[in-house]
């Protein structure tokens, strides 16, 4: 983790180096005109930050900045538990630069060459500097260390407090002298320090250390012997494998797990090098041993893979095992071991397994992508336990084979409804033109049930080229076919289908047909890019329509919207048919744009029918509560509605609309209703809602605190609702505090 942080830091530093002048001069000279402009210590995920500009500026010494990016050095943790970074914007000779270093890294500005950094850091290690400073130097040397630094750092491998950091600094240095240093240290350290040195040798995969590590396999300290086994496993040469094989027999129980794990690593390395037979011998030895179960399981996997296609028998053996771990290994290897012979072995075993295992193996087979498994999937889909059938059917689209189309179509006639739904679902997602062609053939067929299924599949697959056939089906003698076609046209239809759908609506003799045509038209019309043209087509049919058809067309016009549609709806209010008249009134009430307001207001004032008056007034108030309208427009609607409301129910509706308007002027309309016992609670709630909107956010609270005080105080004194009063009091207190500060 530390390594990645420092790589990020040095990458940023090196990227900037080319832009900085005088790179070969001393650090002080290269810092001419160096200026810190801003510094932010922030969470990587953006959850918080702290401005540390002044603190970072204070750390500049002799024209350079050299700091560790830690909470301690930067004055605290702005986001506890989050990974952070320091972002510094600075300039050198007026040239703006940016550098970002992750938490735990080291920041050096201006950046200096690695040789120069090492030259500065080595003397720190040779001095009496504090432990922390030496650790920082070693951390930097892990990035900038050179050959000259190796002897000095190696001398610290025996230091109880600095050995870990010394290993850290050496491990990343590519010079072969590091390996010599680690091998030499094997005879100089003991206990935890020795374990650490052995681990570093393993990390560097030093083949020259095999002999020394082999000797340590017999060390009386189990931790040392185990570390040696782990290192030999990482080195993974034939000599290392031989050493581990010879040591594992008769080894103490405490070290056996590490020895077996080391052998497993060697076998993996040999297999990756193409030495399958050598790897197989090791895998077989480990899987037949008394090693811990996870290691033996891993050895079984390796043994199968090392055998290649010949490993199919061992793979099947795992699938048959009563041990869940063995079965899981079999499933995993089924995804890794290629070959048609392997697939055939797996499919041959499929029907012999319990149902739950059949389903898991089917999933593994689908991920193999081998088409030779298709017959097994089709057989499982056709018969057997229901859950297995459903799994096989559901996985057929993953096989992506057109050979599954006809069997799936056949399954749409299965007596089990769940099987039918599963087959339809797979047909909906099975790719390829052959699937589309088969669905069209179903649609053109004589079987009503399959035609209806085909129509549904056309919708699921978004088969728009089939729309002409759907329009034909919308006039089919069979009502179920007609309704299914109209439902699909509702989803797929476009501008070109408006006229044919209007024909369907106008010719409909049955209420179900008319309703389906209306629903399809409304959906298509709402998507039309030219609502005016669409509305005109609908309006033209109105003149010839019977009352039931007019009612349906009014619903469509509501979906279309626009001035011409609104005018037609207003005209329908004067229709002599009571149903058409009532539908037009309700259509106005559902209008979503402000252009309906004058019509509603006029009817609310002047309609001869009291019920119509009331309905239009309520709709008018509802429009005032539409948050999509501009605030001032909504406020104007409320002011006009205020002159008309008489009943308490409408007054409450008006208060609800006012509560959604973030305007101080809304208070003036609401306040009088506090004195009415029937509306005072709604008025209090409206005042709170308005005040909350006006004070949302620090700036808004500061700006409007004084404005909301009087209404909130009055509401707090008026309400009898304890919960509402508590909420009012909280906001009132915040507003009072802010108002006093201003």
């Amino acid at each position: 983790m530390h390594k990645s942080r420092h790589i990020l830091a040095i990458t940023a530093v090196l990227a900037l180096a080319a832009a900085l002048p005088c790179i070969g001069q001393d650090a002080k000279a290269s810092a001419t005109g160096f200026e810190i402009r801003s510094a932010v210590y922030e969470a990587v995920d953006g959850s918080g930050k702290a401005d540390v500009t002044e603190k970072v500026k204070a750390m500049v010494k002799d024209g350079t900045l050299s700091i560790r990016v830690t909470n301690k050095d930067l004055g605290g943790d702005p986001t506890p538990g989050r990974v952070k970074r320091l972002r510094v914007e600075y300039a050198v000779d007026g040239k703006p630069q940016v550098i970002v270093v992750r938490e735990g890294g080291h920041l050096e500005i201006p950046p200096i060459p690695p040789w120069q950094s090492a030259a500065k850091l080595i003397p720190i290690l040779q001095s009496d500097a504090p432990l922390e400073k030496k650790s920082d130097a070693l951390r930097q040397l892990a990035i900038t260390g050179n050959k000259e630094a190796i002897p000095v750092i190696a001398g610290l491998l025996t230091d109880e407090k600095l050995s870990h950091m010394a290993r850290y600094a050496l491990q990343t240095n590519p010079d072969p002298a590091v390996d010599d240093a680690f091998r030499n240290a094997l005879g100089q350290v003991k206990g935890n320090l020795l374990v650490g040195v052995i681990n570093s040798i393993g990390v560097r995969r030093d083949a020259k250390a095999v002999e020394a590590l082999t000797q340590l396999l017999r060390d009386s300290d189990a931790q040392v012997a185990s570390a040696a086994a782990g290192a030999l496993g990482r080195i993974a040469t034939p000599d290392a494998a031989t050493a581990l094989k010879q040591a594992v027999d008769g080894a103490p129980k405490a070290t056996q797990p590490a020895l077996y794990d080391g052998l497993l690593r060697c076998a993996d390395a040999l297999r990756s090098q193409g030495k399958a037979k050598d790897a197989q011998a090791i895998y077989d030895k480990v899987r037949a041993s008394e090693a811990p179960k996870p290691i033996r399981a891993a050895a079984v996997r390796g043994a199968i893979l090392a055998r290649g296609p010949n490993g199919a028998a061992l793979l099947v053996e795992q699938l048959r095992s009563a041990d869940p771990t063995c079965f899981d290994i079999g499933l995993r290897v089924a995804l890794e071991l290629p070959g048609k012979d392997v697939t055939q072995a797996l499919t041959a075993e499929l029907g012999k397994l319990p149902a739950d295992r059949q389903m898991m193996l089917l999933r593994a087979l689908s991920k193999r992508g081998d088409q030779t498994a298709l017959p097994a999937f089709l057989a499982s889909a056709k018969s057997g336990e229901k859950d297995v059938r459903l799994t096989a059917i559901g996985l057929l689209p993953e096989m992506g084979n057109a050979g599954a189309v006809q069997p799936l179509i056949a399954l749409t006639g299965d007596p089990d409804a769940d099987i039918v739904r599963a087959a339809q679902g797979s047909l909906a997602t099975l790719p390829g033109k052959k699937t589309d062609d088969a669905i069209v053939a179903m649609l053109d067929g004589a079987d009503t049930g399959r035609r209806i299924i085909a129509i549904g599949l056309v919708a699921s697959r978004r088969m728009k080229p089939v729309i002409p056939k759907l329009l034909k089906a919308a006039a089919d003698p069979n009502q179920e076919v007609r309704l299914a076609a109209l439902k699909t046209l509702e989803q797929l239809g476009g501008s070109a289908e408006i006229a044919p759908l209007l024909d369907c609506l106008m010719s409909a003799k049955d209420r179900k047909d008319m309703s389906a045509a209306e629903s399809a038209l409304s959906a298509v019309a709402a998507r039309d890019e030219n609502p005016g043209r669409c509305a005109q087509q609908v309006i033209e049919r109105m003149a010839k329509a019977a009352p039931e058809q007019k009612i349906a067309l009014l619903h469509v016009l509501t979906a279309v919207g626009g001035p011409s549609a609104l005018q037609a709806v207003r005209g329908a209010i004067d229709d002599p048919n009571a149903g058409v008249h009532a539908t037009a009134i309700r259509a106005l009430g559902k209008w979503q744009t402000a252009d309906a307001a004058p019509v509603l207001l006029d009817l609310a004032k002047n309609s001869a029918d009291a019920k119509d008056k009331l309905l239009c007034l309520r709709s008018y108030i509802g429009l005032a509560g539409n948050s999509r309208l501009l605030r001032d427009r909504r406020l104007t609607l409320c002011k006009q509605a205020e002159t008309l409301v008489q009943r308490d129910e409408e007054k409450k509706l008006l208060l609800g609309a006012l509560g959604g308007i973030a305007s101080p002027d809304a208070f003036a309309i609401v306040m009088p209703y506090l004195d009415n016992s029937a509306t005072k609670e709604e008025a209090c709630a409206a005042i709170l809602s308005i005040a909350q909107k006006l004070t949302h956010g620090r700036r808004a609270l500061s700006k409007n605190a004084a404005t909301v005080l009087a209404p909130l105080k009055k509401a707090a004194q008026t309400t009898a609702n304890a919960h509402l009063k508590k909420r009012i009091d909280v906001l009132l207190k915040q507003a009072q505090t802010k108002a006093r500060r201003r």
Side-chain angles (χ1 to χ4, degrees), residues 469-484:
K469 290 182 179 291
L470 292 176
L471 289 170
K472 182 179 178 182
D476 194 88
N478 185 285
Q479 186 180 54
E480 289 186 45
V481 173
R482 293 197 304 270
L483 296 178

Side-chain angles (χ1 to χ4, degrees), residues 701-737:
L701 178 59
S702 179
K703 178 183 177 183
N704 297 315
T707 303
V708 303
L709 284 178
L712 285 173
K713 286 179 181 177
K714 180 70 172 174
Q717 294 167 358
T718 303
T719 183
N721 185 312
H723 178 65
L724 181 59
K725 186 177 188 309
K726 184 177 180 180
R727 293 169 61 203
I728 294 171
D729 287 342
V730 169
L731 185 55
L732 179 59
K733 185 176 180 181
Q734 292 175 355
Q736 288 171 332
T737 302

Side-chain angles (χ1 to χ4, degrees), residues 536-608:
Q536 191 57 41
Q537 292 183 73
V538 177
I539 292 167
E540 288 173 359
R541 304 298 179 107
M542 288 275 286
K544 308 171 188 176
E548 277 197 39
Q549 294 165 336
K550 281 185 179 180
I551 290 171
L553 292 171
L554 284 169
H555 292 154
V556 175
L557 286 172
T558 306
V560 175
S564 57
L566 178 62
Q567 185 178 358
V569 171
R570 174 61 185 89
I573 290 175
D574 299 327
D575 194 281
N577 183 275
V580 174
H581 169 83
T583 301
I585 291 287
R586 285 194 295 272
L588 279 176
K590 295 176 183 177
W591 219 261
Q592 295 297 305
T593 52
D595 53 350
V599 179
L600 287 168
L601 183 62
D602 176 62
L603 290 168
K605 288 179 178 178
N606 304 314
S607 177

Side-chain angles (χ1 to χ4, degrees), residues 333-494:
V333 181
L335 299 174
E336 300 176 280
L337 192 63
K340 295 186 183 301
D341 291 344
V342 176
T343 301
Q344 289 172 1
L346 293 171
T347 55
E349 192 64 21
L350 185 62
K352 304 173 186 177
L353 297 172
D356 58 336
R357 291 194 170 189
Q358 285 188 50
M359 291 186 285
M360 288 187 275
L361 184 53
L362 281 167
R363 294 187 185 99
L365 282 165
S366 71
K367 289 179 171 60
R368 285 177 64 85
D370 188 341
Q371 298 300 317
T372 59
L374 182 62
F377 275 85
L378 296 177
S380 296
K382 186 175 182 180
S383 61
E385 292 199 32
K386 181 175 177 177
D387 288 342
V388 177
R389 294 184 69 195
L390 290 171
T391 300
I393 293 168
L395 291 170
L396 280 171
E398 292 188 27
M399 302 295 290
N401 193 306
V405 176
Q406 291 305 324
L408 283 171
I409 289 175
L411 287 170
T412 61
D414 195 273
D416 190 314
D418 292 333
I419 298 294
V420 173
R421 279 192 293 270
Q424 289 177 234
S426 289
L427 281 169
T429 56
L430 187 68
K433 185 177 181 301
K434 288 186 178 180
T435 308
D436 288 344
D437 292 343
I439 291 170
V440 171
M442 286 175 69
L443 178 56
D444 290 339
D447 187 307
T448 299
R450 288 196 173 180
R451 290 185 70 201
I452 292 170
I453 290 172
I455 291 170
L457 291 171
V458 168
S460 299
R461 296 175 68 87
R462 310 292 296 176
M463 294 167 61
K464 290 191 176 183
V466 184
I467 284 178
K469 290 182 179 291
L470 292 176
L471 289 170
K472 182 179 178 182
D476 194 88
N478 185 285
Q479 186 180 54
E480 289 186 45
V481 173
R482 293 197 304 270
L483 296 178
L486 287 167
K487 185 66 178 176
T488 296
L489 284 166
E490 181 178 334
Q491 299 176 52
L492 302 184

Side-chain angles (χ1 to χ4, degrees), residues 132-383:
E132 185 177 1
K133 193 166 185 181
K134 287 187 176 183
S135 294
D136 287 344
L138 288 167
R139 190 176 286 107
Q140 273 299 99
L141 284 167
I143 302 170
T144 62
N146 53 19
K147 186 167 185 173
E148 286 69 27
I150 294 172
V152 179
I153 301 173
L156 298 174
L157 290 173
T158 58
D159 188 303
E160 286 283 347
K161 295 180 179 178
L162 289 171
S163 180
H164 172 73
M165 287 306 302
R167 290 192 299 105
Y168 174 77
L170 288 173
Q171 277 180 195
T172 57
N173 191 323
D175 197 290
V178 171
D179 298 311
D180 296 336
F182 279 134
R183 288 197 301 274
N184 290 336
L186 288 174
Q188 300 172 10
V189 292
K190 294 182 178 180
N192 290 335
L193 298 191
L194 177 56
V195 170
V197 170
I198 293 170
N199 288 338
S200 292
I201 290 173
V203 168
R204 290 179 65 87
R205 293 180 168 83
D206 179 14
K208 293 181 180 180
V210 170
E211 184 177 349
L213 292 172
T214 301
Q215 299 300 318
L216 290 170
L217 290 175
R218 296 190 291 272
D219 196 278
S220 58
D221 186 333
Q223 288 187 326
V224 170
S226 296
L232 286 167
R234 290 189 183 92
I235 294 168
T237 61
D239 289 342
T242 299
L244 289 165
K245 281 192 286 187
Q246 291 174 350
V248 73
D249 295 326
K253 285 188 177 182
T255 60
Q256 280 187 353
L259 287 163
Y260 284 122
D261 185 67
L263 274 172
L264 205 56
R265 288 175 181 270
C266 285
D268 289 342
L270 289 168
R271 182 165 58 84
S272 67
Q273 295 164 14
K275 300 174 182 178
K277 287 188 177 180
D278 293 337
Q280 180 183 324
I282 296 175
Y283 286 132
D284 287 344
K285 178 179 178 65
V286 176
R287 72 186 181 94
S289 70
E290 296 298 321
K293 190 174 183 179
I295 294 177
R296 283 187 282 119
V300 170
R301 169 182 170 271
I304 297 170
L305 294 174
R307 285 169 166 80
N310 295 327
L314 183 56
L315 168 55
V316 169
E317 183 181 319
Q318 308 313 307
L319 296 176
R320 292 174 179 172
S321 173
D323 188 332
T325 301
C326 293
F327 181 76
D328 290 343
I329 288 292
L331 283 181
R332 177 179 173 182
V333 181
L335 299 174
E336 300 176 280
L337 192 63
K340 295 186 183 301
D341 291 344
V342 176
T343 301
Q344 289 172 1
L346 293 171
T347 55
E349 192 64 21
L350 185 62
K352 304 173 186 177
L353 297 172
D356 58 336
R357 291 194 170 189
Q358 285 188 50
M359 291 186 285
M360 288 187 275
L361 184 53
L362 281 167
R363 294 187 185 99
L365 282 165
S366 71
K367 289 179 171 60
R368 285 177 64 85
D370 188 341
Q371 298 300 317
T372 59
L374 182 62
F377 275 85
L378 296 177
S380 296
K382 186 175 182 180
S383 61

